Amino acid sequence: MDVQTANANVSRVPFFRFLNFEIRSLDNLHAEAEMTFDDRHIGNPVMEYYHGGIIASFMEATAAIAVQPDFADVPAKPINLTVDYLRPGVKGPLFARANVTRKGKRMASVSVITWQTDREKAVAEGLYHFLLV
Amino acid sequence: MSDITKKKMEQIAQMWNARGKGLITHMALEIEEVSSEGVRVRMPFNPDFCVDADQTLLHGGILTALLDSVFGLANFVAIEGVSTMATLDLRVDYLRPAYSRADVIVRAHCFRKTRHIAFNSGSVWFEGHENAEIARGAASFALTRGGTDLFDAMTKGKTS
């Protein structure tokens, strides 16, 4: 699936519009996306950091797209997730890259990393499991 | 909530109301119960949080965000003198598809607190279906003590 079609699918999902992100690249086992900062994403209003739940949601969305690029028809069912928060997500764009580490007949395991200005300085890392049946 | 002082309750209400912007305001969370045993919060149905065009299925991410928020509240209630609180890690199990337009109820508590770390767990269900949890989560938070109290920072806009 090409990036343009995938982004058209993204724009049809209410919660994805709430997160406000775009897919930047997509292939069989990877997806990269960029989320635009918005006041509704704030978790700490004093420091204006991203809410941890928004970061986890963005990572879950990117992971689901990497697993099932045609998610508009057959969405992957999330089973569970683990997120490690490494640095605060400050006001500004947030990037995510999802790698499908294993995709079987029934299950998929996806690792996701998010960063802002430097890919080497992760904001959070996550591991997501999906049910494909 | 007899074991929570009136002052603390006023602080909680004030802190919640001081959040003019941000996700918690957008989720329109209502605190239903607060005690040292834990907190119970309601999130009204919001079509923005759905994944399907019919807007009847909530995205798991919003449940994760809800748990993260309510863990923070449970810690604020359970621990005195915290100046900053940051989520270290978060684990969520999605137990059922979140198909409903009912309000979401979450119950969370801090089951262990140390000088530096707080440990939390919580459950999520649709109102009236407490026996059919849709998600369960656990988290740990890093705490900083001393300096500007978290409550003062939240309500008076001081950075800590």
Side-chain angles (χ1 to χ4, degrees):
Chain A
M1 178 172 293
D2 63 285
V3 169
Q4 207 182 345
T5 314
N7 276 316
N9 287 340
V10 166
S11 69
R12 279 198 284 277
V13 178
F15 189 62
F16 290 0
R17 290 199 296 269
F18 180 82
L19 293 176
N20 194 18
F21 68 92
E22 265 190 49
I23 300 166
R24 292 288 180 231
S25 72
L26 187 63
D27 64 40
N28 262 343
L29 295 170
H30 309 97
E32 269 193 36
E34 177 180 351
M35 180 162 69
T36 305
F37 183 87
D38 193 284
D39 280 354
R40 63 178 183 258
H41 297 152
I42 292 173
N44 178 335
V46 180
M47 305 300 284
E48 300 199 318
Y49 293 154
Y50 276 98
H51 192 288
I54 288 289
I55 297 172
S57 296
F58 175 46
M59 292 166 87
E60 182 174 325
T62 312
I65 292 162
V67 166
Q68 209 89 286
D70 54 348
F71 59 90
D73 302 322
V74 266
K77 297 166 190 156
I79 302 168
N80 56 28
L81 62 97
T82 311
V83 179
D84 215 358
Y85 292 101
L86 303 168
R87 290 182 179 78
V90 300
K91 196 172 185 169
L94 186 70
F95 301 91
R97 179 175 175 83
N99 286 319
V100 180
T101 34
R102 157 124 172 99
K103 189 176 179 182
K105 284 195 178 70
R106 294 190 302 152
M107 238 75 83
S109 185
V110 190
S111 72
V112 191
I113 189 157
T114 58
W115 70 94
Q116 294 196 286
T117 48
D118 182 352
R119 217 179 251 258
E120 300 302 308
K121 290 183 176 164
V123 168
E125 287 182 16
L127 182 59
Y128 291 76
H129 290 111
F130 293 91
L131 189 64
L132 306 173
V133 290
Chain B
M1 60 181 77
S2 57
D3 52 347
I4 299 291
T5 64
K6 192 164 171 265
K7 180 168 173 271
K8 192 95 190 183
M9 275 309 291
E10 281 165 7
Q11 280 193 351
I12 292 163
Q14 217 179 321
M15 186 172 70
W16 219 247
N17 296 335
R19 291 173 175 262
K21 58 186 170 186
L23 183 66
I24 291 177
T25 307
H26 210 91
M27 290 196 289
L29 300 187
E30 296 160 30
I31 301 171
E32 294 202 324
E33 263 179 54
V34 172
S35 77
S36 57
E37 297 295 298
V39 295
R40 185 184 146 118
V41 171
R42 169 188 300 265
M43 182 181 77
F45 174 76
N46 184 337
D48 285 352
F49 302 150
C50 290
V51 279
D52 56 335
D54 298 340
Q55 300 183 318
T56 53
L57 175 63
L58 291 176
H59 190 270
I62 199 68
L63 304 179
T64 297
L66 181 60
L67 280 164
D68 191 25
S69 300
V70 179
F71 288 154
L73 176 66
N75 289 339
F76 178 74
V77 171
I79 310 164
E80 293 289 341
V82 173
S83 61
T84 66
M85 201 176 346
T87 319
L88 259 184
D89 83 308
L90 180 61
R91 204 199 119 76
V92 178
D93 284 319
Y94 297 125
L95 304 174
R96 284 179 177 77
Y99 268 118
S100 178
R101 289 197 169 191
D103 289 359
V104 173
I105 310 292
V106 53
R107 184 157 190 87
H109 78 299
C110 170
F111 61 85
R112 166 84 178 138
K113 56 191 179 196
T114 72
R115 175 162 177 77
H116 298 286
I117 309 291
F119 299 91
N120 299 89
S121 73
S123 288
V124 184
W125 62 88
F126 285 115
E127 184 176 31
H129 296 88
E130 189 164 354
N131 55 354
E133 279 171 79
I134 50 176
R136 199 180 276 207
S140 57
F141 284 74
L143 310 173
T144 314
R145 295 174 186 259
T148 309
D149 187 73
L150 183 60
F151 166 71
D152 291 333
M154 287 293 192
T155 50
K156 290 165 197 153
K158 286 179 203 160
T159 53
S160 51

